[in-house]
Amino acid sequence: MLKKFVVVLAASMLMAVPALGNAAMAGSNTVNSAAIVDGEVKTADIANLAVTTAKIANGAVTGTQIAAGTISATQLANGAVTAAKLATGSVANGNLIDGSVTAVKIGNGAVTDAKIAGPISTSKLNIGTAAGTVASGDHSHDALYQKKYASVAVVAASGGDYTSPEAALGDIATWCSVMPCLVKVMPGTYTSSSNGLSGIEIPAHITLEGSGEGSTNIICGAMFVYNDAEVRSLTITSNNPVYGYYNPMAPPYANSTGPAIARNLTLNTLSSDATGVVNENGNLELTNVSINVAGPGSGNGVGVNGFGKTILKNVSISMPNGGTGILSNNGGSIFVANSSVNVPTASAALSIGAYSGAIYVNNSLINGQIVTNNGTVKCINSFNASYDAFTCQ
């Protein structure tokens, strides 16, 4: 009877023990997801650094589980957010604080052309010579575009700053304190000193610009163009339309070593005994210039008379009454390209003066005689008025 009682007591005690979950059966300190009521684990229940990357499954934390603005830069370890973890287009301009993305936060090659929308300012481009950068010399087009001028004076019959080129050039100290400066001559005919016999000087670092060869005409004794000065886009009627001059000792021409430039011009002489262009020991460049030596006289004029270095590009010299087309004097060197010299057949198209000199011609029409004297005259790819090959030597 006692044995039976013990068995019954033991059975009743076993029935009194509550059933334990799988967590308890698995061992001490083990809590699985099934044992946690949703929302019962609060921030205060989690120790700092207790939840690490290894404890979070990929994709377990989605956008809806992150409150806006709760992840700051200080909460992200360096390298924690990689390109592979960012969906395409997920980081838009509106999601970035100004200045928050710096160069040190972007790995080499991380930002490609396809990821950049809108303009990139020069401050965002490295300057250098390495591949992919923009070197300082890559976008230098100073020779192709008009230079910027510190000051501009307008010459016009009315409504301008001055009524004559002489007046504007004579008052440079007033309006041109910082060079280079521009004298812009509006359409019209301007006669120097009322009789057209006075010379007009264009000092170094000054540009005299007309409104086109068919619109602006200046009548003067001579147009003196100093080194580092320029005259362009007009017609000059004169005994010496362009006179290249170099005086390195006198201000404001000191240290003027660049060429005097004459371009986009029509030059008409008042006499067939005049000279269209004179280069007096300077450095003169003519480009797109038409020189017409005509008018009364015996036909002893000169188209271009060079004492220094003279460069002619696309220059046309016409002397219907005769004379000398191009004359090199006192050791001067004249370089002619893509040009034409048209004088009567018996006249000298190219000539060296008594004190030697040199003339070099390329791809040009030469109609007239060659006089070498003690100098050098060379022609390459040149031809005469009949388009027959022309040999200067």
Side-chain angles (χ1 to χ4, degrees):
M1 185 66 181
L2 179 61
K3 183 176 181 181
K4 183 177 180 181
F5 173 79
V6 171
V7 171
V8 171
L9 179 61
S12 62
M13 291 179 64
L14 182 60
M15 293 177 63
V17 177
L20 297 179
N22 293 333
M25 298 298 294
S28 63
N29 299 323
T30 301
V31 179
N32 60 22
S33 300
I36 302 173
V37 178
D38 288 344
E40 287 301 311
V41 178
K42 311 294 185 181
T43 302
D45 299 323
I46 301 174
N48 288 340
L49 303 179
V51 179
T52 62
T53 302
K55 296 179 181 179
I56 302 174
N58 287 340
V61 179
T62 63
T64 56
Q65 294 169 309
I66 301 174
T70 57
I71 300 180
S72 64
T74 57
Q75 293 170 314
L76 293 174
N78 288 340
V81 179
T82 63
K85 296 179 181 178
L86 295 174
T88 301
S90 60
V91 179
N93 291 341
N95 299 124
L96 297 175
I97 300 173
D98 287 345
S100 61
V101 179
T102 62
V104 296
K105 296 180 181 177
I106 301 175
N108 289 339
V111 179
T112 62
D113 290 345
K115 297 179 182 178
I116 300 174
I120 298 178
S121 65
T122 54
S123 61
K124 297 177 184 177
L125 296 174
N126 293 327
I127 302 298
T129 57
T133 63
V134 178
S136 58
D138 287 348
H139 293 280
S140 178
H141 302 297
D142 292 345
L144 301 179
Y145 300 102
Q146 179 174 301
K147 67 186 73 173
K148 293 182 178 180
Y149 296 97
S151 298
V152 177
V154 176
V155 175
S158 63
D161 301 310
Y162 300 90
T163 57
S164 73
E166 287 176 289
L169 292 166
D171 197 30
I172 287 176
T174 300
W175 63 271
C176 180
S177 59
V178 178
M179 295 184 177
C181 295
L182 171 67
V183 177
K184 176 64 177 180
V185 186
M186 304 308 289
T189 297
Y190 302 84
T191 302
S192 66
S193 297
S194 73
N195 60 8
L197 298 178
S198 298
I200 297 177
E201 291 190 357
I202 305 177
H205 313 300
I206 301 296
T207 295
L208 178 68
E209 179 186 62
S211 300
E213 297 168 62
S215 299
T216 303
N217 183 25
I218 296 178
I219 302 174
C220 60
M223 184 76 72
F224 295 95
V225 186
Y226 287 78
N227 278 18
D228 286 320
E230 180 175 346
V231 57
R232 65 172 182 248
S233 302
L234 51 87
T235 292
I236 303 173
T237 302
S238 170
N239 282 322
N240 293 115
V242 171
Y243 201 106
Y245 192 68
Y246 179 49
N247 182 4
M249 302 305 294
Y253 320 118
N255 300 320
S256 298
T257 58
I261 297 176
R263 59 189 176 99
N264 302 332
L265 299 174
T266 295
L267 309 180
N268 299 320
T269 65
L270 297 172
S271 167
S272 61
D273 295 325
T275 299
V277 174
V278 176
N279 180 16
E280 186 178 301
N281 299 316
N283 185 357
L284 176 63
E285 292 185 6
L286 306 176
T287 304
N288 300 328
V289 176
S290 177
I291 303 171
N292 304 302
V293 180
S298 56
N300 294 317
V302 179
V304 175
N305 188 0
F307 294 85
K309 180 182 178 181
T310 310
I311 297 176
L312 281 63
K313 301 176 182 177
N314 195 27
V315 172
S316 171
I317 300 174
S318 176
M319 306 180 68
N321 295 332
T324 301
I326 297 176
L327 175 63
S328 174
N329 267 311
N330 292 343
S333 297
I334 302 177
F335 301 86
V336 184
N338 303 316
S339 299
S340 66
V341 180
N342 195 358
V343 300
T345 305
S347 298
L350 308 175
S351 179
I352 304 297
Y355 298 99
S356 189
I359 301 175
Y360 304 96
V361 181
N362 176 40
N363 196 35
S364 297
L365 184 153
I366 306 298
N367 185 51
Q369 300 297 311
I370 305 299
V371 180
T372 59
N373 286 325
N374 296 319
T376 300
V377 179
K378 293 184 178 181
C379 298
I380 300 175
N381 297 329
S382 295
F383 47 93
N384 60 21
S386 300
Y387 289 91
D388 295 323
F390 188 86
T391 303
C392 295
Q393 297 173 315

